[in-house]
Amino acid sequence: MDKTIEWKDDCSLMVDQTLIPFEYKKIKIKTSKEMYNAIKTMIVRGAPAIGIAGAHGMCLAAKELYEENNFIKKLLEKAQYLNSARPTAVNLSWAINEQKKVIENNKNETPKKILNALIENAIRLENEDILINKKIGDFGASVVPLGAGILTHCNAGALATVGYGTALGVIRSAYKKDSSISVFADETRPRQQGARITTFELVRDNIPVTLITDGMCSYFMKKGMINFVVTGADRIAANGDSANKIGTSTIAIAASYYNIPFYIAAPKSTIDMSIKSGNDIVIELRDENEVKIINGKSVCAEGTKVINPAFDITDSGLIKGIITEYGIFKPNELQKIFS
Ligand code: MRU
């Protein structure tokens, strides 16, 4: 399987997601600063993918610093810098922490050896990500009804991970079992990850997909055309409250009204047991121009105020199950994964 982000030729090779669907192009990220900017500007996006980007960022930082004095101190400062690129997806800090463990375990080795250990660990995380997503996909497929009309939001696919995807992993596995399912992707304003990236992935895999706008979901739920929902997550609190792309909670509320099962598909690394509930999750606020400007032109009157939160919190009570690589859990059962 083609990795959408991987360590190659001493740098991070990733798909530039801002170009999708017009171009599928890989770019080389060669410095930790370039990596910070790639995460911030969403050249790489999606919780697991930015986790791997963070792990690669640590390798790039080690490459920059290994001949300097105070190598470890400077490297740990870079960890903080990379981690500050985006606040909501816990996978970024999780993967950077995995790299910090490598630094701690090798602290008596030479800087060059630490660099090599960081690269080795980053490649391990890449490979694990694909295996985890396949497990998530297969567990999830077991609860997809025959012939389902599945709604997904944003992009939780191969491009949001290293490969296969989480929510799209469920859809990929379900489609292998039952080619009569159909998929609804909503646009996902303002960055259009559903319209641009999810449709791109599904069309490329020959999985039937219908694009709808964000406000249309209850129309199709009422008509019986959507009877299953699966999305990814950026951070799941200990009680199961889940942060995901803005608009997810609206869909979950509509699904609950129409008695439609709403699932989250995410790896263990997206679960943050240090956070009790969604109230404590930091929501990233992004530039107002993402909302105001479409195709280079303002779509509102000058002087209009805009607030642009990138994520919302879906209350655990609205979530039927959280599909992980360890199986499917009710939101109040997450502790089982950690014990
Ligand atoms: O702002 P984005 O595009 O990084 O937000 C991505 C999402 O909200 C995804 O649904 C989530 O990261 C899960 S990706 C497997």
Side-chain angles (χ1 to χ4, degrees), residues 148-167:
I150 306 175
L151 173 65
T152 188
H153 185 60
C154 192
N155 171 264
L159 282 153
T161 59
V162 180
Y164 206 66
T166 53

PDB file of all heavy atoms in Angstrom, residues 148-167:
ATOM      1  N   ALA A 148     -26.095  -0.685   3.531  1.00  0.00           N
ATOM      2  CA  ALA A 148     -26.219   0.576   4.273  1.00  0.00           C
ATOM      3  C   ALA A 148     -25.956   1.807   3.407  1.00  0.00           C
ATOM      4  O   ALA A 148     -25.175   1.762   2.453  1.00  0.00           O
ATOM      5  CB  ALA A 148     -25.221   0.566   5.442  1.00  0.00           C
ATOM      6  N   GLY A 149     -26.607   2.902   3.799  1.00  0.00           N
ATOM      7  CA  GLY A 149     -26.262   4.228   3.285  1.00  0.00           C
ATOM      8  C   GLY A 149     -25.454   4.885   4.397  1.00  0.00           C
ATOM      9  O   GLY A 149     -25.985   5.189   5.464  1.00  0.00           O
ATOM     10  N   ILE A 150     -24.163   5.058   4.157  1.00  0.00           N
ATOM     11  CA  ILE A 150     -23.260   5.492   5.232  1.00  0.00           C
ATOM     12  C   ILE A 150     -22.875   6.951   5.044  1.00  0.00           C
ATOM     13  O   ILE A 150     -22.409   7.338   3.964  1.00  0.00           O
ATOM     14  CB  ILE A 150     -21.957   4.646   5.213  1.00  0.00           C
ATOM     15  CG1 ILE A 150     -22.278   3.147   5.274  1.00  0.00           C
ATOM     16  CG2 ILE A 150     -21.024   5.061   6.342  1.00  0.00           C
ATOM     17  CD1 ILE A 150     -21.036   2.255   5.125  1.00  0.00           C
ATOM     18  N   LEU A 151     -23.052   7.737   6.097  1.00  0.00           N
ATOM     19  CA  LEU A 151     -22.564   9.121   6.044  1.00  0.00           C
ATOM     20  C   LEU A 151     -21.226   9.214   6.774  1.00  0.00           C
ATOM     21  O   LEU A 151     -21.067   8.670   7.876  1.00  0.00           O
ATOM     22  CB  LEU A 151     -23.567  10.066   6.722  1.00  0.00           C
ATOM     23  CG  LEU A 151     -23.095  11.524   6.878  1.00  0.00           C
ATOM     24  CD1 LEU A 151     -22.911  12.213   5.518  1.00  0.00           C
ATOM     25  CD2 LEU A 151     -24.080  12.324   7.737  1.00  0.00           C
ATOM     26  N   THR A 152     -20.264   9.902   6.157  1.00  0.00           N
ATOM     27  CA  THR A 152     -19.030  10.227   6.867  1.00  0.00           C
ATOM     28  C   THR A 152     -18.754  11.718   6.707  1.00  0.00           C
ATOM     29  O   THR A 152     -19.241  12.361   5.777  1.00  0.00           O
ATOM     30  CB  THR A 152     -17.840   9.357   6.412  1.00  0.00           C
ATOM     31  OG1 THR A 152     -16.722   9.607   7.289  1.00  0.00           O
ATOM     32  CG2 THR A 152     -17.409   9.639   4.976  1.00  0.00           C
ATOM     33  N   HIS A 153     -17.991  12.254   7.648  1.00  0.00           N
ATOM     34  CA  HIS A 153     -17.743  13.702   7.701  1.00  0.00           C
ATOM     35  C   HIS A 153     -16.246  13.959   7.647  1.00  0.00           C
ATOM     36  O   HIS A 153     -15.463  13.159   8.154  1.00  0.00           O
ATOM     37  CB  HIS A 153     -18.325  14.230   9.026  1.00  0.00           C
ATOM     38  CG  HIS A 153     -18.260  15.709   9.194  1.00  0.00           C
ATOM     39  ND1 HIS A 153     -18.870  16.601   8.331  1.00  0.00           N
ATOM     40  CD2 HIS A 153     -17.671  16.480  10.145  1.00  0.00           C
ATOM     41  CE1 HIS A 153     -18.663  17.834   8.755  1.00  0.00           C
ATOM     42  NE2 HIS A 153     -17.925  17.784   9.851  1.00  0.00           N
ATOM     43  N   CYS A 154     -15.855  15.056   7.047  1.00  0.00           N
ATOM     44  CA  CYS A 154     -14.445  15.420   6.912  1.00  0.00           C
ATOM     45  C   CYS A 154     -13.720  14.327   6.119  1.00  0.00           C
ATOM     46  O   CYS A 154     -14.325  13.665   5.264  1.00  0.00           O
ATOM     47  CB  CYS A 154     -13.808  15.630   8.281  1.00  0.00           C
ATOM     48  SG  CYS A 154     -12.183  16.421   8.215  1.00  0.00           S
ATOM     49  N   ASN A 155     -12.464  14.113   6.391  1.00  0.00           N
ATOM     50  CA  ASN A 155     -11.752  12.998   5.761  1.00  0.00           C
ATOM     51  C   ASN A 155     -10.988  12.247   6.833  1.00  0.00           C
ATOM     52  O   ASN A 155     -10.086  12.808   7.469  1.00  0.00           O
ATOM     53  CB  ASN A 155     -10.779  13.470   4.679  1.00  0.00           C
ATOM     54  CG  ASN A 155      -9.896  12.322   4.202  1.00  0.00           C
ATOM     55  OD1 ASN A 155      -8.770  12.144   4.676  1.00  0.00           O
ATOM     56  ND2 ASN A 155     -10.413  11.509   3.298  1.00  0.00           N
ATOM     57  N   ALA A 156     -11.404  11.004   7.032  1.00  0.00           N
ATOM     58  CA  ALA A 156     -10.690  10.121   7.960  1.00  0.00           C
ATOM     59  C   ALA A 156     -10.242   8.912   7.147  1.00  0.00           C
ATOM     60  O   ALA A 156     -10.523   7.762   7.476  1.00  0.00           O
ATOM     61  CB  ALA A 156     -11.601   9.739   9.126  1.00  0.00           C
ATOM     62  N   GLY A 157      -9.545   9.210   6.067  1.00  0.00           N
ATOM     63  CA  GLY A 157      -9.146   8.170   5.124  1.00  0.00           C
ATOM     64  C   GLY A 157      -7.652   7.919   5.118  1.00  0.00           C
ATOM     65  O   GLY A 157      -6.932   8.278   6.064  1.00  0.00           O
ATOM     66  N   ALA A 158      -7.190   7.318   4.011  1.00  0.00           N
ATOM     67  CA  ALA A 158      -5.760   7.019   3.860  1.00  0.00           C
ATOM     68  C   ALA A 158      -4.941   8.298   3.983  1.00  0.00           C
ATOM     69  O   ALA A 158      -3.835   8.298   4.533  1.00  0.00           O
ATOM     70  CB  ALA A 158      -5.517   6.362   2.501  1.00  0.00           C
ATOM     71  N   LEU A 159      -5.493   9.404   3.476  1.00  0.00           N
ATOM     72  CA  LEU A 159      -4.726  10.648   3.497  1.00  0.00           C
ATOM     73  C   LEU A 159      -4.651  11.268   4.886  1.00  0.00           C
ATOM     74  O   LEU A 159      -3.743  12.044   5.170  1.00  0.00           O
ATOM     75  CB  LEU A 159      -5.316  11.634   2.484  1.00  0.00           C
ATOM     76  CG  LEU A 159      -4.894  11.276   1.053  1.00  0.00           C
ATOM     77  CD1 LEU A 159      -5.889  11.744   0.027  1.00  0.00           C
ATOM     78  CD2 LEU A 159      -3.514  11.840   0.748  1.00  0.00           C
ATOM     79  N   ALA A 160      -5.596  10.926   5.739  1.00  0.00           N
ATOM     80  CA  ALA A 160      -5.574  11.457   7.114  1.00  0.00           C
ATOM     81  C   ALA A 160      -4.740  10.569   8.032  1.00  0.00           C
ATOM     82  O   ALA A 160      -4.583  10.875   9.220  1.00  0.00           O
ATOM     83  CB  ALA A 160      -6.995  11.558   7.644  1.00  0.00           C
ATOM     84  N   THR A 161      -4.231   9.477   7.471  1.00  0.00           N
ATOM     85  CA  THR A 161      -3.447   8.511   8.248  1.00  0.00           C
ATOM     86  C   THR A 161      -2.199   8.196   7.404  1.00  0.00           C
ATOM     87  O   THR A 161      -1.829   8.983   6.548  1.00  0.00           O
ATOM     88  CB  THR A 161      -4.281   7.229   8.497  1.00  0.00           C
ATOM     89  OG1 THR A 161      -4.656   6.674   7.224  1.00  0.00           O
ATOM     90  CG2 THR A 161      -5.555   7.529   9.286  1.00  0.00           C
ATOM     91  N   VAL A 162      -1.602   7.032   7.613  1.00  0.00           N
ATOM     92  CA  VAL A 162      -0.509   6.634   6.697  1.00  0.00           C
ATOM     93  C   VAL A 162      -1.105   5.840   5.532  1.00  0.00           C
ATOM     94  O   VAL A 162      -0.606   5.869   4.411  1.00  0.00           O
ATOM     95  CB  VAL A 162       0.554   5.800   7.450  1.00  0.00           C
ATOM     96  CG1 VAL A 162       1.696   5.391   6.513  1.00  0.00           C
ATOM     97  CG2 VAL A 162       1.109   6.590   8.625  1.00  0.00           C
ATOM     98  N   GLY A 163      -2.196   5.141   5.799  1.00  0.00           N
ATOM     99  CA  GLY A 163      -2.863   4.368   4.763  1.00  0.00           C
ATOM    100  C   GLY A 163      -4.144   3.732   5.287  1.00  0.00           C
ATOM    101  O   GLY A 163      -4.319   3.591   6.509  1.00  0.00           O
ATOM    102  N   TYR A 164      -5.071   3.428   4.408  1.00  0.00           N
ATOM    103  CA  TYR A 164      -6.336   2.726   4.661  1.00  0.00           C
ATOM    104  C   TYR A 164      -7.383   3.608   5.355  1.00  0.00           C
ATOM    105  O   TYR A 164      -8.534   3.591   4.980  1.00  0.00           O
ATOM    106  CB  TYR A 164      -6.111   1.435   5.459  1.00  0.00           C
ATOM    107  CG  TYR A 164      -7.190   0.388   5.217  1.00  0.00           C
ATOM    108  CD1 TYR A 164      -7.334  -0.212   3.966  1.00  0.00           C
ATOM    109  CD2 TYR A 164      -8.075   0.017   6.223  1.00  0.00           C
ATOM    110  CE1 TYR A 164      -8.322  -1.165   3.733  1.00  0.00           C
ATOM    111  CE2 TYR A 164      -9.065  -0.946   6.001  1.00  0.00           C
ATOM    112  CZ  TYR A 164      -9.177  -1.529   4.755  1.00  0.00           C
ATOM    113  OH  TYR A 164     -10.153  -2.482   4.538  1.00  0.00           O
ATOM    114  N   GLY A 165      -6.978   4.366   6.387  1.00  0.00           N
ATOM    115  CA  GLY A 165      -7.932   5.256   7.045  1.00  0.00           C
ATOM    116  C   GLY A 165      -8.649   4.609   8.211  1.00  0.00           C
ATOM    117  O   GLY A 165      -8.613   3.396   8.389  1.00  0.00           O
ATOM    118  N   THR A 166      -9.320   5.462   8.993  1.00  0.00           N
ATOM    119  CA  THR A 166     -10.089   4.974  10.151  1.00  0.00           C
ATOM    120  C   THR A 166     -11.563   4.850   9.743  1.00  0.00           C
ATOM    121  O   THR A 166     -12.027   3.742   9.460  1.00  0.00           O
ATOM    122  CB  THR A 166      -9.884   5.908  11.358  1.00  0.00           C
ATOM    123  OG1 THR A 166     -10.186   7.250  10.966  1.00  0.00           O
ATOM    124  CG2 THR A 166      -8.461   5.826  11.870  1.00  0.00           C
ATOM    125  N   ALA A 167     -12.283   5.975   9.669  1.00  0.00           N
ATOM    126  CA  ALA A 167     -13.688   5.889   9.218  1.00  0.00           C
ATOM    127  C   ALA A 167     -13.751   5.339   7.788  1.00  0.00           C
ATOM    128  O   ALA A 167     -14.582   4.475   7.475  1.00  0.00           O
ATOM    129  CB  ALA A 167     -14.349   7.260   9.292  1.00  0.00           C
TER     130      ALA A 167
END
